Amino acid sequence: MPGNILLIDDEEQLRKLLSRIISLEGFIVEQAGTLKAAWAQLAQKEPDIVLCDVKLPDGDGVRFVKELKEKYPLIEIILLTAFGNIPDGVQAIKNGAFDYITKGNDNDRIVPLLYQALDKATAQKKSAIKIKDKGAYTFDDIIGQSTLIKQAVQLAQRIAPANTNVLLLGETGTGKEVFANAIHANSKRSDKAIVAINCSAFAKDLLEGELFGHKAGAFTGANKDKKGLVELADGGTLFLDEIGEMNIDLQAKLLRVIENGEFIKLGDVKTTKVNVRIIAATHRDLRKMVEDGTFREDLYYRLNVFTISLPALRDHTDDIPALANHFLAYYTARENRPVLHIQKDALQLLQQHSWKGNIRELRNVLERATIMAEGDTILAENLPFDIQKQDKGSSSLTLASVEKDHIQKVLRHTNGNKTKTAVLLGIGLTTLYRKMEEYGL
């Protein structure tokens, strides 16, 4: 399926030329000569990728990146500039740009970059909305024997067979999606779908359309009726991840679903009846949001019938060995290599780390460690530097030398493929090129 591109550039000839080149690759291209025109088009239809000039008559592309990602987090944006400017490029990447390239010099990179950006945008959309015929995880998939994890599992097992709404609380990466799926898999609704959406991934208008669907003609481009996720979850479970990010106007419509089992599609005049169980999750303090007026009190109490708090990983570090072995078994099987073991020193470092990203961060660290390990054991040196440095305070190694060595290892692993290297390092391509130039690689 072709991707949709919005091309923003005030140079009409260049814009038309790029549009033709991109169109020949199968992409559907819309054009805008100003940011004002671009915002108008974005209000009508959300593209997969925005290709934008840095200098425009009515604004700055670097600042536009930040504004765009705040309103449309699933859109990938690539900036074009007439003159390479490293500080601008670095700031653009920090603001959320997929990449930053120079016109003319990097013309051959535009089409490959568009395909890479489309892959990322498509993956993010699939990640933001998931529809499963049954729960993707069961309680057996919840790893950990600590008291805190056992208590959370016991509460979830107790509430699973009921039709009661559930509120899962916990920091990002603590396993809320796993718990939601396990609750559904052990409920009386397990023969129906569990439909999940990450509320933080969509702007207000788009989230409303995804949740409630629309009738044909409801807005420009709505050529046929579309079922929303609430309707697709009829008879099953609707998992609303990061519900604290939901606009307060939409909260009123969700409340109607909970109280009356009905909603109105965009562009419709009739109500649609549904029977869904709501499992909501958030890392935010909803009680404080109620006090601040950003979350409806009545909705809070309807969701807060049964609450399960999931612990941060730093509060149950005794589960890290079991979690680490689980992830290593998965990643070594995926990479078709013998199962790795973790050196005692490396395991101690993992247990000392603060894990702001919790289990998700641990999973990512072990994925990289699997790639970096040269033998059959994960060593301390295979871990990211911020984890290594916990007991290397007196080391003579500088941050720069460790970073340079790490980049070199990943480049060797990818046989010099810079795009794959940037992905594995978790940085943008522009940042990688800047680092390579800085370290003379």
Side-chain angles (χ1 to χ4, degrees):
M1 182 177 176
N4 294 297
I5 312 291
L6 175 58
L7 174 58
I8 312 169
D9 199 307
D10 60 326
E11 296 181 46
E12 187 175 359
Q13 277 192 314
L14 177 62
R15 195 171 68 238
K16 288 182 176 180
L17 176 62
L18 282 176
S19 178
R20 177 166 173 73
I21 292 170
I22 296 167
S23 297
L24 288 172
E25 291 290 327
F27 292 98
I28 297 170
V29 185
E30 300 290 340
Q31 300 180 40
T34 64
L35 291 179
K36 182 179 179 181
W39 283 118
Q41 291 202 40
L42 286 164
Q44 297 284 332
K45 185 179 181 182
E46 182 179 346
D48 299 297
I49 306 164
V50 170
L51 192 59
C52 181
D53 192 11
V54 170
K55 301 299 180 186
L56 291 158
D58 57 346
D60 171 66
V62 176
R63 189 176 296 111
F64 173 67
V65 172
K66 190 170 188 291
E67 295 169 354
L68 179 77
K69 295 298 284 186
E70 286 174 353
K71 192 167 185 181
Y72 301 100
L74 295 183
I75 295 177
E76 290 303 320
I77 179 166
I78 299 170
L79 284 187
L80 299 169
T81 179
F83 306 99
N85 184 316
I86 288 177
D88 272 358
V90 172
Q91 188 58 51
I93 300 299
K94 285 182 178 178
N95 286 354
F98 183 79
D99 212 332
Y100 179 96
I101 60 178
T102 305
K103 294 178 186 177
N105 295 344
D106 292 334
N107 279 352
D108 292 342
R109 293 181 56 212
I110 290 177
V111 171
L113 270 179
L114 289 175
Y115 280 113
Q116 293 163 23
L118 180 61
D119 286 344
K120 184 178 179 183
T122 302
Q124 286 180 158
K125 286 178 181 176
K126 285 182 179 178
S127 177
I129 297 176
K130 298 175 184 175
I131 302 174
K132 303 285 185 183
D133 291 334
K134 59 182 181 178
Y137 303 96
T138 67
F139 288 118
D140 292 336
D141 294 307
I142 298 173
I143 297 167
Q145 294 299 314
S146 63
T147 301
L148 290 174
I149 287 296
K150 282 184 175 180
Q151 288 174 344
V153 170
Q154 287 169 0
L155 286 173
Q157 289 174 325
R158 187 175 302 171
I159 195 60
N163 274 316
T164 306
N165 296 326
V166 180
L167 180 61
L168 300 173
L169 301 177
E171 295 177 8
T172 299
T174 49
K176 297 187 286 292
E177 183 179 350
V178 176
F179 268 79
N181 276 272
I183 290 169
H184 174 77
N186 287 271
S187 73
K188 297 171 183 176
R189 298 170 177 264
S190 59
D191 59 331
K192 300 292 184 180
I194 175 170
V195 178
I197 184 168
N198 187 326
C199 299
S200 67
F202 296 89
K204 171 188 173 291
D205 293 341
L206 293 170
L207 180 58
E208 181 175 1
E210 294 292 344
L211 284 174
F212 302 112
H214 62 251
K215 297 291 288 182
F219 51 85
T220 304
N223 300 319
K224 58 183 180 180
D225 291 359
K226 175 189 174 182
K227 285 187 177 182
L229 300 180
V230 173
E231 191 172 0
L232 291 173
D234 190 21
T237 301
L238 179 65
F239 175 45
L240 298 171
D241 198 7
E242 298 301 350
I243 195 169
E245 311 304 318
M246 183 180 286
N247 181 277
I248 200 158
D249 295 333
L250 277 185
Q251 292 173 26
K253 295 187 177 185
L254 177 62
L255 183 64
R256 184 176 181 180
V257 173
I258 295 173
E259 292 185 333
N260 304 319
E262 64 182 30
F263 65 94
I264 300 176
K265 296 180 182 181
L266 291 171
D268 205 351
V269 293
K270 298 183 301 182
T271 58
T272 299
K273 287 282 188 179
V274 289
N275 174 15
V276 297
R277 181 190 197 178
I278 304 289
I279 299 179
T282 183
H283 70 283
R284 290 187 175 274
D285 184 343
L286 292 187
R287 194 184 298 274
K288 186 175 186 305
M289 291 181 69
V290 168
E291 294 173 358
D292 295 340
T294 55
F295 201 86
R296 291 181 64 107
E297 185 174 22
D298 44 8
L299 177 59
Y300 171 69
Y301 286 117
R302 291 308 300 264
L303 293 174
N304 196 31
V305 176
F306 198 96
T307 300
I308 301 173
S309 295
L310 304 187
L313 184 55
R314 60 183 170 276
D315 294 329
H316 62 111
T317 55
D318 45 335
D319 287 327
I320 285 179
L323 286 164
N325 288 328
H326 170 77
F327 291 133
L328 283 179
Y330 172 78
Y331 288 122
T332 51
R334 192 186 71 178
E335 298 294 327
N336 195 28
R337 61 179 295 176
V339 175
L340 294 168
H341 305 284
I342 306 179
Q343 183 191 50
K344 184 178 179 181
D345 290 348
L347 189 58
Q348 287 178 341
L349 288 174
L350 293 179
Q351 290 184 292
Q352 291 167 9
H353 188 56
S354 59
W355 299 112
K356 292 181 180 178
N358 293 293
I359 297 171
R360 186 179 299 148
E361 183 187 356
L362 174 64
R363 182 188 65 195
N364 293 342
V365 163
L366 289 168
E367 180 179 11
R368 292 186 189 181
T370 301
I371 294 168
M372 299 303 298
E374 295 178 352
D376 61 357
T377 305
I378 300 288
L379 306 175
E381 67 187 51
N382 300 136
L383 302 176
F385 181 69
D386 64 326
I387 296 178
Q388 291 183 46
K389 72 180 181 182
Q390 290 169 140
D391 72 347
K392 288 181 179 278
S394 59
S395 172
S396 60
L397 290 174
T398 64
L399 174 59
S401 64
V402 172
E403 185 174 58
K404 177 182 177 180
D405 182 57
H406 187 60
I407 291 172
Q408 284 178 314
K409 284 183 178 179
V410 180
L411 280 166
R412 283 198 299 271
H413 173 77
T414 63
N415 294 319
N417 187 312
K418 297 177 184 61
T419 300
K420 287 184 179 179
T421 298
V423 170
L424 290 173
L425 290 171
I427 61 177
L429 211 51
T430 300
T431 304
L432 176 60
Y433 278 115
R434 181 173 59 80
K435 293 285 186 184
M436 290 177 67
E437 182 179 355
E438 181 181 338
Y439 297 137
L441 300 176

